[in-house]
Amino acid sequence: MSDAHDHGEGEADHGQGGDSGEDADGGRGEDGDRGHDHHHDDGDHHDDGDHHDDGDHHDDGDHHDDGDHHHDDDRGHDHHHHDAESVEVAVVTVSSSRSLDEDPSGDHVAAAFEDAGHEVAVRELVPDEYDSVQGTVDRLARRKDADVVVTTGGTGVTPDDVTPEAVDGLFAKKLPGFGELFRRRSEAEVGTRTIGSRATAGIVSATPVFCLPGSEKAVRLGVDEIILPEVGHLVGLAGRDADDEDDEEETEGDAGTEEETEGDREASGESADEEAK
């Protein structure tokens, strides 16, 4: 594949395919786009337009909060309890024309994660081929030292752009909000060309996988403004069941040890009784 459209040489995945927008300030100020802050007020503190000047200053007993501030703690659980403070990322460059020595997009992914206090587990380069992309993402998502996978390239609309198709069958869960938010923030810079973007994300083997365009501007937008602010939370949630299972296995193992000890004591007691007889 001539990968110019995905790696900034013409910026076709960012410009032609509309997948970029480093300066997409039209969405950057909308902090609500990141989806949640877990401290909802349900739009409360309702006064129903009160403070009537009928001489009463009626509030109807409002200022409703439903007791719902910090609702995670009130209900006995915290959605951030499993957040990962530091993660290890596997970086995959999808290109048939580039090398890792000339890979500004992959370089930025690695540098941005490290600057944020995370680590790079591995970097790989694969050609724009369905089987190569699928096999590589599947393998890296299963590695114990890779908490998240980020790919760059192959998300455009030319015949050899196959990254979304290759990873789609691997997703146990899709994260449509990632692509939606990425395209929304790209619009400020590339306008309606953003409809050509097929950036996508999902969960593969309890590992979040993000597929970005190849242009460096698109990668800066996706990594700096969307992935990094949420990666610890997503990694923690995606691996939560596995962590809980490990805790349960340890608890069961401890219980088994106690049962064995009691059994040994009973056996010893029986032996002593037999000797006494």
PDB file of all heavy atoms in Angstrom, residues 87-106:
ATOM      1  N   VAL A  87      -0.013   2.130  32.779  1.00  0.00           N
ATOM      2  CA  VAL A  87      -0.307   1.039  31.852  1.00  0.00           C
ATOM      3  C   VAL A  87       0.874   0.838  30.915  1.00  0.00           C
ATOM      4  O   VAL A  87       1.740   1.702  30.767  1.00  0.00           O
ATOM      5  CB  VAL A  87      -1.580   1.328  31.026  1.00  0.00           C
ATOM      6  CG1 VAL A  87      -2.761   1.602  31.940  1.00  0.00           C
ATOM      7  CG2 VAL A  87      -1.360   2.497  30.068  1.00  0.00           C
ATOM      8  N   GLU A  88       0.879  -0.328  30.269  1.00  0.00           N
ATOM      9  CA  GLU A  88       1.876  -0.621  29.251  1.00  0.00           C
ATOM     10  C   GLU A  88       1.171  -0.720  27.907  1.00  0.00           C
ATOM     11  O   GLU A  88       0.183  -1.449  27.768  1.00  0.00           O
ATOM     12  CB  GLU A  88       2.597  -1.934  29.577  1.00  0.00           C
ATOM     13  CG  GLU A  88       3.434  -1.853  30.840  1.00  0.00           C
ATOM     14  CD  GLU A  88       4.269  -3.104  31.058  1.00  0.00           C
ATOM     15  OE1 GLU A  88       5.223  -3.318  30.279  1.00  0.00           O
ATOM     16  OE2 GLU A  88       3.957  -3.865  31.990  1.00  0.00           O
ATOM     17  N   VAL A  89       1.680   0.005  26.927  1.00  0.00           N
ATOM     18  CA  VAL A  89       1.018   0.089  25.632  1.00  0.00           C
ATOM     19  C   VAL A  89       1.809  -0.650  24.557  1.00  0.00           C
ATOM     20  O   VAL A  89       3.041  -0.623  24.535  1.00  0.00           O
ATOM     21  CB  VAL A  89       0.816   1.562  25.216  1.00  0.00           C
ATOM     22  CG1 VAL A  89       2.159   2.288  25.112  1.00  0.00           C
ATOM     23  CG2 VAL A  89       0.052   1.661  23.898  1.00  0.00           C
ATOM     24  N   ALA A  90       1.084  -1.326  23.681  1.00  0.00           N
ATOM     25  CA  ALA A  90       1.677  -1.931  22.490  1.00  0.00           C
ATOM     26  C   ALA A  90       1.314  -1.029  21.318  1.00  0.00           C
ATOM     27  O   ALA A  90       0.131  -0.749  21.087  1.00  0.00           O
ATOM     28  CB  ALA A  90       1.130  -3.341  22.272  1.00  0.00           C
ATOM     29  N   VAL A  91       2.308  -0.554  20.593  1.00  0.00           N
ATOM     30  CA  VAL A  91       2.107   0.383  19.491  1.00  0.00           C
ATOM     31  C   VAL A  91       2.314  -0.350  18.171  1.00  0.00           C
ATOM     32  O   VAL A  91       3.368  -0.954  17.947  1.00  0.00           O
ATOM     33  CB  VAL A  91       3.074   1.582  19.591  1.00  0.00           C
ATOM     34  CG1 VAL A  91       2.791   2.585  18.482  1.00  0.00           C
ATOM     35  CG2 VAL A  91       2.972   2.246  20.960  1.00  0.00           C
ATOM     36  N   VAL A  92       1.306  -0.290  17.297  1.00  0.00           N
ATOM     37  CA  VAL A  92       1.377  -0.991  16.016  1.00  0.00           C
ATOM     38  C   VAL A  92       1.226   0.011  14.878  1.00  0.00           C
ATOM     39  O   VAL A  92       0.219   0.726  14.798  1.00  0.00           O
ATOM     40  CB  VAL A  92       0.265  -2.057  15.896  1.00  0.00           C
ATOM     41  CG1 VAL A  92       0.385  -2.792  14.563  1.00  0.00           C
ATOM     42  CG2 VAL A  92       0.335  -3.036  17.058  1.00  0.00           C
ATOM     43  N   THR A  93       2.213   0.067  13.998  1.00  0.00           N
ATOM     44  CA  THR A  93       2.140   0.909  12.807  1.00  0.00           C
ATOM     45  C   THR A  93       1.721   0.040  11.634  1.00  0.00           C
ATOM     46  O   THR A  93       2.384  -0.946  11.311  1.00  0.00           O
ATOM     47  CB  THR A  93       3.498   1.562  12.512  1.00  0.00           C
ATOM     48  OG1 THR A  93       3.877   2.383  13.631  1.00  0.00           O
ATOM     49  CG2 THR A  93       3.434   2.411  11.257  1.00  0.00           C
ATOM     50  N   VAL A  94       0.611   0.392  11.006  1.00  0.00           N
ATOM     51  CA  VAL A  94       0.095  -0.360   9.861  1.00  0.00           C
ATOM     52  C   VAL A  94       0.490   0.386   8.595  1.00  0.00           C
ATOM     53  O   VAL A  94      -0.049   1.448   8.276  1.00  0.00           O
ATOM     54  CB  VAL A  94      -1.440  -0.510   9.937  1.00  0.00           C
ATOM     55  CG1 VAL A  94      -1.948  -1.322   8.748  1.00  0.00           C
ATOM     56  CG2 VAL A  94      -1.847  -1.170  11.253  1.00  0.00           C
ATOM     57  N   SER A  95       1.458  -0.149   7.874  1.00  0.00           N
ATOM     58  CA  SER A  95       1.943   0.514   6.665  1.00  0.00           C
ATOM     59  C   SER A  95       2.779  -0.447   5.840  1.00  0.00           C
ATOM     60  O   SER A  95       3.541  -1.240   6.389  1.00  0.00           O
ATOM     61  CB  SER A  95       2.793   1.737   7.032  1.00  0.00           C
ATOM     62  OG  SER A  95       3.358   2.315   5.872  1.00  0.00           O
ATOM     63  N   SER A  96       2.620  -0.347   4.536  1.00  0.00           N
ATOM     64  CA  SER A  96       3.435  -1.159   3.625  1.00  0.00           C
ATOM     65  C   SER A  96       4.572  -0.351   3.029  1.00  0.00           C
ATOM     66  O   SER A  96       5.344  -0.854   2.220  1.00  0.00           O
ATOM     67  CB  SER A  96       2.555  -1.712   2.485  1.00  0.00           C
ATOM     68  OG  SER A  96       1.550  -2.564   2.997  1.00  0.00           O
ATOM     69  N   SER A  97       4.690   0.913   3.436  1.00  0.00           N
ATOM     70  CA  SER A  97       5.711   1.776   2.839  1.00  0.00           C
ATOM     71  C   SER A  97       6.660   2.394   3.861  1.00  0.00           C
ATOM     72  O   SER A  97       7.714   2.897   3.490  1.00  0.00           O
ATOM     73  CB  SER A  97       5.042   2.903   2.040  1.00  0.00           C
ATOM     74  OG  SER A  97       4.235   3.702   2.884  1.00  0.00           O
ATOM     75  N   ARG A  98       6.317   2.348   5.128  1.00  0.00           N
ATOM     76  CA  ARG A  98       7.152   2.977   6.147  1.00  0.00           C
ATOM     77  C   ARG A  98       7.979   1.951   6.901  1.00  0.00           C
ATOM     78  O   ARG A  98       7.768   0.745   6.797  1.00  0.00           O
ATOM     79  CB  ARG A  98       6.295   3.768   7.134  1.00  0.00           C
ATOM     80  CG  ARG A  98       5.708   5.038   6.554  1.00  0.00           C
ATOM     81  CD  ARG A  98       5.134   5.908   7.649  1.00  0.00           C
ATOM     82  NE  ARG A  98       4.617   7.155   7.122  1.00  0.00           N
ATOM     83  CZ  ARG A  98       5.365   8.234   6.901  1.00  0.00           C
ATOM     84  NH1 ARG A  98       6.652   8.216   7.168  1.00  0.00           N
ATOM     85  NH2 ARG A  98       4.816   9.329   6.413  1.00  0.00           N
ATOM     86  N   SER A  99       8.900   2.471   7.716  1.00  0.00           N
ATOM     87  CA  SER A  99       9.674   1.639   8.633  1.00  0.00           C
ATOM     88  C   SER A  99       9.567   2.276  10.007  1.00  0.00           C
ATOM     89  O   SER A  99       9.156   3.437  10.139  1.00  0.00           O
ATOM     90  CB  SER A  99      11.147   1.568   8.201  1.00  0.00           C
ATOM     91  OG  SER A  99      11.772   2.833   8.365  1.00  0.00           O
ATOM     92  N   LEU A 100       9.940   1.548  11.048  1.00  0.00           N
ATOM     93  CA  LEU A 100       9.881   2.104  12.394  1.00  0.00           C
ATOM     94  C   LEU A 100      10.880   3.243  12.585  1.00  0.00           C
ATOM     95  O   LEU A 100      10.738   4.054  13.504  1.00  0.00           O
ATOM     96  CB  LEU A 100      10.131   1.007  13.429  1.00  0.00           C
ATOM     97  CG  LEU A 100       9.019  -0.041  13.566  1.00  0.00           C
ATOM     98  CD1 LEU A 100       9.396  -1.077  14.626  1.00  0.00           C
ATOM     99  CD2 LEU A 100       7.686   0.618  13.929  1.00  0.00           C
ATOM    100  N   ASP A 101      11.891   3.297  11.718  1.00  0.00           N
ATOM    101  CA  ASP A 101      12.873   4.386  11.798  1.00  0.00           C
ATOM    102  C   ASP A 101      12.304   5.682  11.236  1.00  0.00           C
ATOM    103  O   ASP A 101      12.838   6.759  11.486  1.00  0.00           O
ATOM    104  CB  ASP A 101      14.145   4.009  11.030  1.00  0.00           C
ATOM    105  CG  ASP A 101      14.904   2.879  11.700  1.00  0.00           C
ATOM    106  OD1 ASP A 101      14.799   2.758  12.937  1.00  0.00           O
ATOM    107  OD2 ASP A 101      15.579   2.103  10.987  1.00  0.00           O
ATOM    108  N   GLU A 102      11.235   5.566  10.454  1.00  0.00           N
ATOM    109  CA  GLU A 102      10.589   6.737   9.873  1.00  0.00           C
ATOM    110  C   GLU A 102       9.088   6.643  10.154  1.00  0.00           C
ATOM    111  O   GLU A 102       8.277   6.376   9.286  1.00  0.00           O
ATOM    112  CB  GLU A 102      10.836   6.797   8.364  1.00  0.00           C
ATOM    113  CG  GLU A 102      10.322   8.055   7.694  1.00  0.00           C
ATOM    114  CD  GLU A 102      10.500   8.024   6.185  1.00  0.00           C
ATOM    115  OE1 GLU A 102      11.057   7.035   5.671  1.00  0.00           O
ATOM    116  OE2 GLU A 102      10.073   8.991   5.535  1.00  0.00           O
ATOM    117  N   ASP A 103       8.760   6.859  11.398  1.00  0.00           N
ATOM    118  CA  ASP A 103       7.381   6.640  11.854  1.00  0.00           C
ATOM    119  C   ASP A 103       6.989   7.704  12.876  1.00  0.00           C
ATOM    120  O   ASP A 103       6.881   7.430  14.070  1.00  0.00           O
ATOM    121  CB  ASP A 103       7.265   5.234  12.457  1.00  0.00           C
ATOM    122  CG  ASP A 103       5.868   4.914  12.966  1.00  0.00           C
ATOM    123  OD1 ASP A 103       4.904   5.540  12.480  1.00  0.00           O
ATOM    124  OD2 ASP A 103       5.742   4.045  13.850  1.00  0.00           O
ATOM    125  N   PRO A 104       6.757   8.949  12.431  1.00  0.00           N
ATOM    126  CA  PRO A 104       6.436  10.018  13.376  1.00  0.00           C
ATOM    127  C   PRO A 104       5.158   9.774  14.166  1.00  0.00           C
ATOM    128  O   PRO A 104       5.060  10.175  15.324  1.00  0.00           O
ATOM    129  CB  PRO A 104       6.307  11.262  12.479  1.00  0.00           C
ATOM    130  CG  PRO A 104       6.051  10.719  11.106  1.00  0.00           C
ATOM    131  CD  PRO A 104       6.795   9.428  11.032  1.00  0.00           C
ATOM    132  N   SER A 105       4.192   9.112  13.553  1.00  0.00           N
ATOM    133  CA  SER A 105       2.936   8.849  14.263  1.00  0.00           C
ATOM    134  C   SER A 105       3.149   7.855  15.402  1.00  0.00           C
ATOM    135  O   SER A 105       2.703   8.068  16.531  1.00  0.00           O
ATOM    136  CB  SER A 105       1.880   8.326  13.288  1.00  0.00           C
ATOM    137  OG  SER A 105       1.555   9.305  12.330  1.00  0.00           O
ATOM    138  N   GLY A 106       3.840   6.767  15.092  1.00  0.00           N
ATOM    139  CA  GLY A 106       4.145   5.793  16.137  1.00  0.00           C
ATOM    140  C   GLY A 106       5.042   6.389  17.204  1.00  0.00           C
ATOM    141  O   GLY A 106       4.891   6.086  18.396  1.00  0.00           O
TER     142      GLY A 106
END
